[in-house]
């Protein structure tokens, strides 16, 4: 528990550092970011206990680069608050679904959803329920809820979540859990941005399982993007912002993985592997048969 | 009796693999039944998923495939009729067992009374023991016999049946309904792999690789220093020769100032190169020490 408290403190501190770094590098970031061109609609979802203001910088950044980004419009995200996830998500379809539909009609184009943490879970589940009006989903450190796997969340946040909603994660997740999408359904791109330094959601919970990524194809791309960032500061971290803009511009029918090297000058290329640390191959490839063989 | 040392038919390999998966599931089921934490409905989710799988795949696909193989075996070797009849009866019984355990699991999860839990534990433990003995007998007695007696045409027919069935959990594509269970096992596999990595640094192989990396780094550093010393010394000889070749004092001083600049530049190059080699060597040595490979 003490470790989790320490992790939370470090994460909060890191977020402040990222905000400062973002402000200091604003000019460079704006110079490097490609332009979206035609006011593509983007709806952003704040994380647990955060309000729409937490995504102010993200929205402003996207608006400056040819997108029309706006927050979800429901104020502070307080989680399901006593209802089951299913009920909460159904009510969200009624509340935020209308906004998504209106945006899609206004622009005559599907809407991209970007969500931080729990907001990413909402974005993922909403897209599953209304894929015809969604363009793609980008999640920033968004967890999955498994009905019986050991929880990968910071215990302080889990306890707080329990206090707010009076339900354990297993209860909220229900029988089927809230997992990442299947490899082929819905046929939309899904990007999970996650961090090895995340103090709240363990990367094992945020990362799209490798077997899903392996089975996915260009009709429904699934991509993991590892960035060095805190959990709370993901929406202000300049490296994450750059990645979000790039992924929003990526052609859906010809999906290419994110290449951070193209945005950095030669003199800073050495920093890319630090800012976007690649996952070790052996850690990603899990062969379940080893478990059957080991007798564990 | 052991399996003969011949290339095994694909069907036998697949059936044996499925036995391994079933053993893993039985072991997990047993662990869960012994767990003290069976107080909330969600504590039963894992067991329900395991038994549902046993009922939906091994009972309806794996055992009928074995029945087909045993039918062929009796045709080729009538002496095995008694054993096959016994295994067929066991397949029926196992199917009834899983249906019963599923009901008991629902009841225990709903009521959570000691009686319901006791009934579940008794029925499940009988089932686990029975299925383990059943698989052991099949692998020890009937699989080797089938390998010896069945011709290729029979194996072809069995393999055709196997190809038409899709394992929803351990097959090439995980079915949506079984993703929760699959990801639970992926997580356990990752934990196992992390444990192995954690203790990997105690292995002598890793220490040898790490020492080798350190040695390579020191050699590289030494070679680099030698190379620069040689170039400094060569340059010094040239400068000395030029300084005393009868030229004017100003010209001699400017040659020596040029040499001083060369020494300064070499020192900077040596410093940066040495730092690069130092950090790379430390990183390599640490990675080899902990993981054994890069």
């Amino acid at each position: 528990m003490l470790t989790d408290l320490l992790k939370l403190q470090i994460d909060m501190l890191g977020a402040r550092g990222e905000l400062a770094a973002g402000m200091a590098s604003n000019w460079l970031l704006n110079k490097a970011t490609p332009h979206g061109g035609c006011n593509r609609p983007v709806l952003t979802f704040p994380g647990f206990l955060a309000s729409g203001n937490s995504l102010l910088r993200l929205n402003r950044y996207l608006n400056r680069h040819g997108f029309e980004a706006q927050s979800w419009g429901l104020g502070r995200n307080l989680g399901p608050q006593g209802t089951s996830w299913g009920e909460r998500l159904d009510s969200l379809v009624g509340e935020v679904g209308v906004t998504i539909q209106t945006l899609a009609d206004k622009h005559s184009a599907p809407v991209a959803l970007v969500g931080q943490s729990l907001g990413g879970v909402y974005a993922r589940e909403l897209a599953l329920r209304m894929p015809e009006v969604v363009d793609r989903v980008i999640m920033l450190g968004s967890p999955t809820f498994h009905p019986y796997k050991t929880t990968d969340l910071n215990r302080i946040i889990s306890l707080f979540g329990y206090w707010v909603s009076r339900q354990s994660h297993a209860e909220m997740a229900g029988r089927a859990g809230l997992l990442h999408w299947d490899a082929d359904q819905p046929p939309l791109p899904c990007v999970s941005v996650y961090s090895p330094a995340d103090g709240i959601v363990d990367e094992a919970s945020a990362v799209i399982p490798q077997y899903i990524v392996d089975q996915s194809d260009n009709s429904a791309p699934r991509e993991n993007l590892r960035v060095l960032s805190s959990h709370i500061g993901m929406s202000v971290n300049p490296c994450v912002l750059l990645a979000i803009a790039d992924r929003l511009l990526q052609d859906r029918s010809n999906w290419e993985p994110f290449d951070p090297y193209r945005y950095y000058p030669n003199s800073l290329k050495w920093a890319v592997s630090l800012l976007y640390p690649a996952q070790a191959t052996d850690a990603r490839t899990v062969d379940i048969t080893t478990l059957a063989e080991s007798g564990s | 009796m052991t399996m003969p040392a011949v290339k095994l038919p694909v069907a036998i390999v697949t059936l044996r693999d499925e036995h391994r998966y079933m053993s893993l599931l039985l072991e997990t089921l047993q662990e869960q039944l012994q767990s003290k934490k069976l107080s909330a409905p969600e504590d039963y989710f894992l067991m329900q998923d395991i038994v549902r799988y046993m009922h939906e795949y091994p009972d309806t696909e794996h055992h009928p495939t074995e029945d087909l193989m045993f039918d062929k075996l009796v045709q080729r070797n009538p002496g095995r009729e008694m054993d096959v009849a016994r295994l067929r009866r066991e397949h029926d019984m196992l199917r009834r067992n899983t249906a019963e355990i599923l009901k008991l699991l629902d009841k225990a999860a709903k009521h959570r009374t000691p009686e319901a839990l006791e009934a579940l534990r008794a029925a499940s433990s009988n089932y686990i023991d029975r299925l383990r003995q059943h698989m052991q007998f099949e692998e020890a007695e009937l699989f080797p016999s089938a390998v010896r007696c069945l011709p290729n045409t029979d194996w072809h027919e069995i393999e055709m049946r196997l190809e038409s069935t899709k394992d929803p959990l351990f097959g090439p594509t995980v079915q949506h309904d079984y993703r929760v269970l699959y990801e639970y096992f992926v997580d356990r596999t990752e934990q196992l792999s992390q444990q192995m990595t954690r203790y990997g640094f105690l292995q002598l192989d890793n220490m040898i690789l790490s020492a080798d990396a350190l040695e390579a780094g020191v050699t590289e550093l030494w070679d680099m220093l030698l190379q620069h010393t040689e170039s400094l010394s060569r340059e010094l000889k040239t400068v000395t020769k030029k300084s005393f070749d009868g030229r004017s004092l100003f010209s001699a001083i400017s040659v020596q100032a040029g040499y001083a600049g060369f020494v300064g530049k070499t020192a900077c190059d040596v410093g940066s190169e040495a730092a690069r080699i130092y950090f790379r060597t430390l990183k390599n040595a640490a990675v080899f020490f902990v993981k054994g490979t890069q």
Side-chain angles (χ1 to χ4, degrees), chain B residues 76-89:
Chain B
R76 308 282 171 190
N77 182 0
R80 283 289 184 186
E81 198 170 354
M82 294 273 280
D83 290 334
V84 167
R86 174 193 147 186
L87 289 178
R88 275 185 168 284
R89 276 198 305 277

Side-chain angles (χ1 to χ4, degrees), chain B residues 203-262:
Chain B
Q203 293 171 6
L204 184 64
D205 294 10
N206 293 5
M207 290 185 190
I208 291 170
L209 285 171
S210 182
D212 195 48
L214 282 174
E215 202 178 29
V218 170
T219 311
E220 195 182 349
L221 195 66
W222 181 247
D223 287 348
M224 187 268 291
L225 284 174
L226 273 184
Q227 197 187 339
H228 282 291
T229 313
E230 263 174 37
S231 100
L232 277 176
S233 140
R234 206 167 41 243
E235 193 65 19
L236 180 64
K237 269 184 201 163
T238 317
V239 168
T240 313
K241 203 171 161 190
K242 278 184 183 171
S243 302
F244 298 102
D245 63 355
R247 63 179 61 204
S248 68
L249 180 63
F250 178 75
S251 175
I253 288 173
S254 71
V255 167
Q256 285 174 23
Y259 181 67
F262 178 71

Side-chain angles (χ1 to χ4, degrees), chain A residues 217-230:
Chain A
D217 58 23
N218 244 1
S219 63
R222 309 283 181 252
E223 186 182 356
N224 284 311
L225 218 158
R226 203 166 185 238
V227 188
L228 189 66
S229 165
S230 68

